[in-house]
Amino acid sequence: NAGVTQTPKFQVLKTGQSMTLQCAQDMNHEYMSWYRQDPGMGLRLIHYSVGAGITDQGEVPNGYNVSRSTTEDFPLRLLSAAPSQTSVYFCASSYAKTGGSGELFFGEGSRLTVL
Amino acid sequence: GNSVTQMEGPVTLSEEAFLTINCTYTATGYPSLFWYVQYPGEGLQLLLKATKADDKGSNKGFEATYRKETTSFHLEKGSVQVSDSAVYFCALGNSGGYQKVTFGIGTKLQVIP
């Protein structure tokens, strides 16, 4: 059972470059989300989706785009990378659509460095 | 809005010592509360959870009780092991509506033999 799969695990970009972080889950979860993890800041929600075709902004959405064309996939796009986007990114999914009582399942993370 | 407060650490303990990591929260309504653990180089995984006041979550010797009167969800373990070395995150899920989980900054625990 693969769970949540993120690619790539590591990436180095130059300022202004674009890239997409991929996230796929095989648990038929409706809810998917992206977090970034920074020292002293914990995890902060970037964007989330409650189903195919439905996305919304989290706490720190600026500089990131998302789309959800299928239940399985939820890519995160950086259109013009900035050094402030250097971070570890986690994708997480859940079976719980409402109530906040469901467990989040995390990928292993993608470490991004922007020079 | 919702928020979670926990100490960043690091917390260093000797093996078999008693562990407490404090967590307090601010939220409207009746959120669910979680502890997640992140081992080195890995993603987060759920350690335990509680969905209503006075519930006790437990797993792998860890426990936490949902205290609405003190808005707290402190993590405890009676005897830690070296393998418990990790970062522990307290988190809360919004009550009602779609799931949005708010995390604390994480507490790094180092257990030495």
Side-chain angles (χ1 to χ4, degrees):
Chain A
N1 189 356
V4 178
T5 303
Q6 289 182 234
T7 56
K9 286 186 168 44
F10 301 94
Q11 183 71 49
V12 178
L13 291 177
K14 294 181 180 178
T15 297
Q17 288 185 317
S18 63
M19 76 157 301
T20 300
L21 298 176
Q22 302 290 345
C23 176
Q25 53 91 10
D26 62 359
M27 297 173 282
N28 201 32
H29 286 169
E30 290 181 299
Y31 180 89
M32 296 185 74
S33 57
W34 277 101
Y35 287 86
R36 59 178 289 172
Q37 182 180 24
D38 301 292
M41 304 290 288
L43 275 77
R44 293 180 291 170
L45 182 64
I46 304 172
H47 285 285
Y48 67 98
S49 169
V50 297
I54 306 171
T55 64
D56 204 349
Q57 297 180 350
E59 184 183 354
V60 288
N62 292 340
Y64 307 95
N65 283 347
V66 293
S67 60
R68 184 93 179 270
S69 57
T70 66
T71 300
E72 295 78 19
D73 301 301
F74 190 46
L76 179 71
R77 297 183 184 85
L78 286 72
L79 297 180
S80 180
S84 61
Q85 294 178 304
T86 294
S87 187
V88 180
Y89 293 85
F90 287 98
C91 179
S93 70
S94 173
Y95 61 86
K97 194 171 186 177
T98 62
S101 61
E103 172 185 356
L104 281 176
F105 293 81
F106 282 83
E108 293 185 344
S110 298
R111 183 176 294 273
L112 175 66
T113 301
V114 182
L115 303 176
Chain B
N2 294 346
S3 67
V4 176
T5 301
Q6 62 177 120
M7 57 182 172
E8 187 171 10
V11 174
T12 302
L13 295 175
S14 297
E15 206 164 20
E16 298 183 0
F18 185 85
L19 169 71
T20 299
I21 301 177
N22 290 339
C23 171
T24 58
Y25 68 90
T26 302
T28 55
Y30 303 93
S32 296
L33 298 175
F34 309 88
W35 277 100
Y36 282 83
V37 58
Q38 183 181 30
Y39 298 104
E42 299 183 9
L44 282 73
Q45 56 186 276
L46 182 68
L47 179 60
L48 53 84
K49 72 177 184 182
T51 58
K52 61 182 186 296
D54 300 325
D55 267 2
K56 177 185 283 187
S58 61
N59 186 24
K60 299 181 182 180
F62 291 89
E63 293 183 340
T65 301
Y66 189 163
R67 302 287 189 197
K68 189 165 179 63
E69 64 275 15
T70 55
T71 61
S72 65
F73 193 55
H74 304 322
L75 182 69
E76 296 182 335
K77 186 175 185 183
S79 177
V80 294
Q81 305 300 312
V82 173
S83 57
D84 294 327
S85 298
V87 181
Y88 293 82
F89 291 89
C90 185
L92 68 87
N94 60 300
S95 58
Y98 294 112
Q99 173 161 323
K100 290 171 65 176
V101 179
T102 300
F103 286 85
I105 62 174
T107 300
K108 184 174 183 178
L109 171 66
Q110 182 178 6
V111 181
I112 55 178

